[in-house]
């Protein structure tokens, strides 16, 4: 069967001879009525093209696969961005993947073999309360009442989105079982030059600025194995932010017994009891260190930094 590159109408696909492959989604329903496909009736792949009457290069793209019919993809960055590849962490490859986010897509239910999913649906409601302050624009004699906080995000697991905590040796005392990963990156690795109104992660126009003032830093890790998360200014050796889980001891709000808290790091006005903001240039080097207890194996662990900052220039003294 043959057909022209250009589709017959705008509803027909037009092939681009410069593109060597086409991503494909394949799904089938559960009945004759059009509805959402089942969790095991979906898959995807790539159609590769070959040139007629000419050699075609075949490249080794590694082992590909799916989990519950969904193509598996991870982009674990090598050192110095992260060290999961060097550690051969199982989360990076489909042939070694053991568990985590890729097993938890829509309508995938994780149960023991002897359990049956209940037929009834759990319905719940959530209530949110938002507080705001009116914004006052800047004048020739007075700055604006508020400054835009930019979103900065980086994963110590370096694009993997999660990682495995491998079990330590059975001969090692539990208190000495510590698994560590590190990441080395720069402020500019978190920059996104795009209009502020387009996406919450956009930084807008950074021309005329030299760096950021760090205002908020919050690490993300999972109980019960998280020991610590630390963020350093690698150029000065200064510890910028550290997280050590705080165990609740009472039944008071934010101190609930049996729960853990990870208080964030904050910078701001000294009149509010905060440390002054920390300036970091765009080419400033940062190091993240994450430690977990690995008495037992854990899947789907995370080590990301959610941060906020303000575009600014190097302070003049």
């Amino acid at each position: 069967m043959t057909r022209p590159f250009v589709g017959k109408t705008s509803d027909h696909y037009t092939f681009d001879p410069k593109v060597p492959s086409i991503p494909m989604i394949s799904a089938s329903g559960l009945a004759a009525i059009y509805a959402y496909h089942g969790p095991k009736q979906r898959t995807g792949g790539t159609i590769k093209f070959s040139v007629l009457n000419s050699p075609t290069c075949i490249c080794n793209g590694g082992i590909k696969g799916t989990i519950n019919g969904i193509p598996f993809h991870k982009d674990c960055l090598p050192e110095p961005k992260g060290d999961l590849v060097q550690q051969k962490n199982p989360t990076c490859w489909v042939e070694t993947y053991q568990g985590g986010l890729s097993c938890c897509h829509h309508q995938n239910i994780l149960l023991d073999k002897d359990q049956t999913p209940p037929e009834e649906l759990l319905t719940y409601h959530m209530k949110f309360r938002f507080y705001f302050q009116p914004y006052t624009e800047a004048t020739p004699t007075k700055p604006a009442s508020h400054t835009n906080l930019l979103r900065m995000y980086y994963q110590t697991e370096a694009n993997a989105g999660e990682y495995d905590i491998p079990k330590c040796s059975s001969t090692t005392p539990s208190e000495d079982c510590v698994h560590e990963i590190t990441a080395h990156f720069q402020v500019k690795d978190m920059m996104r030059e795009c209009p502020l109104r387009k996406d919450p992660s956009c930084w807008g126009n950074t021309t005329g600025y030299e760096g950021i003032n760090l205002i908020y830093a919050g690490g993300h890790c999972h109980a019960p194995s998280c020991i610590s998360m630390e963020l350093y200014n690698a150029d000065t050796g200064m510890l910028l932010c550290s997280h050590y889980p705080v165990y609740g001891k009472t039944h008071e709000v934010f101190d609930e017994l049996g729960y853990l808290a990870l208080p964030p790091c904050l910078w701001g006005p000294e009149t509010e009891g905060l440390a002054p903001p920390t300036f970091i240039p765009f080419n400033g080097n940062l190091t993240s260190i994450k430690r977990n207890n690995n008495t037992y194996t854990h899947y789907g662990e995370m080590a990301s930094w959610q941060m906020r900052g303000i575009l600014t220039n190097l302070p003049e003294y």
Side-chain angles (χ1 to χ4, degrees):
M1 180 176 67
T2 62
R3 55 153 285 189
F5 281 141
V6 179
K8 186 175 181 180
T9 70
S10 59
D11 292 329
H12 292 79
Y13 188 82
T14 294
F15 293 91
D16 184 349
K18 297 179 181 179
V19 177
S21 63
I22 299 178
M24 179 188 70
I25 297 176
S26 175
S28 59
L30 299 174
I33 301 174
Y34 181 77
Y36 183 82
H37 54 73
K40 296 183 179 180
Q41 281 74 39
R42 56 190 174 189
T43 186
T46 303
I47 299 176
K48 300 287 186 179
F49 298 135
S50 61
V51 181
L52 292 175
N53 303 318
S54 179
T56 299
C57 177
I58 300 177
C59 303
N60 181 6
I63 298 175
K64 306 294 182 182
T66 64
I67 296 178
N68 291 321
I70 298 177
F72 179 91
H73 174 74
K74 283 291 180 75
D75 184 26
C76 298
L77 299 180
E79 291 185 326
K81 300 296 184 183
D83 49 20
L84 295 189
V85 174
Q86 182 203 31
Q87 293 183 7
K88 294 180 172 57
N89 195 277
T91 198
C92 293
W93 303 276
V94 67
E95 64 267 33
T96 56
Y97 193 80
Q98 302 179 80
L101 290 176
S102 293
C103 298
C104 301
H105 288 281
H106 183 50
Q107 291 195 353
N108 290 143
I109 301 175
L110 302 181
L111 298 174
D112 293 333
K113 289 183 179 180
D114 58 350
Q115 291 180 307
T116 302
E119 294 183 0
E120 66 273 11
L121 294 177
L122 175 63
T123 301
Y124 61 94
H125 300 272
M126 300 181 70
K127 181 179 180 180
F128 297 91
R129 180 173 293 169
F130 295 92
Y131 297 87
F132 72 94
Q133 295 174 327
Y135 174 75
T136 304
E137 295 184 357
T139 67
T141 59
K142 190 176 181 180
S145 59
H146 297 73
T147 303
N148 187 46
L149 282 177
L150 304 175
R151 182 177 188 264
M152 300 182 291
Y153 180 74
Y154 197 87
Q155 301 172 0
T156 313
E157 61 270 36
N159 277 17
E162 59 175 346
Y163 68 105
D164 290 1
I165 306 296
K167 186 180 185 301
C168 72
S169 171
S170 58
T171 60
T172 304
S174 179
E175 61 272 17
D176 295 331
C177 286
V178 179
H179 179 258
E180 179 178 297
I181 65 171
T182 61
H184 306 278
F185 57 104
Q186 294 183 311
V187 172
K188 63 184 180 183
D189 293 330
M190 300 179 284
M191 291 176 61
R192 290 193 60 191
E193 289 271 2
C194 50
L196 292 171
R197 297 287 185 180
K198 182 179 180 180
D199 187 283
S201 298
C202 290
W203 285 32
N205 186 359
T206 60
T207 303
Y209 295 100
E210 299 173 322
I212 56 101
N213 271 344
L214 192 58
I215 302 297
Y216 166 90
H220 178 90
C221 65
H222 298 168
S225 67
C226 180
I227 295 176
S228 65
M229 284 187 68
E230 297 171 342
L231 182 67
Y232 289 87
N233 183 329
D235 295 321
T236 64
M238 176 184 179
L239 177 62
L240 297 173
C241 181
S242 59
H243 289 318
Y244 309 102
V246 178
Y247 292 80
K249 299 179 180 179
T250 70
H251 293 289
E252 299 295 324
V253 176
F254 299 132
D255 189 43
E256 291 87 349
L257 185 66
Y259 289 84
L260 301 179
L262 288 173
C265 299
L266 299 173
W267 294 264
E270 295 185 34
T271 55
E272 297 182 8
L274 300 173
T278 300
F279 174 80
I280 310 175
F282 291 143
N283 63 351
N285 294 291
L286 302 172
T287 294
S288 173
I289 303 175
K290 165 71 181 308
R291 299 181 181 91
N292 279 75
N293 181 280
N294 63 334
T295 302
Y296 304 100
T297 302
H298 293 270
Y299 308 134
E301 176 62 15
M302 299 179 183
S304 59
W305 286 98
Q306 295 271 9
M307 294 180 280
R308 299 293 186 272
I310 298 173
L311 289 173
T312 188
N313 292 308
L314 182 68
E316 297 181 1
Y317 297 101

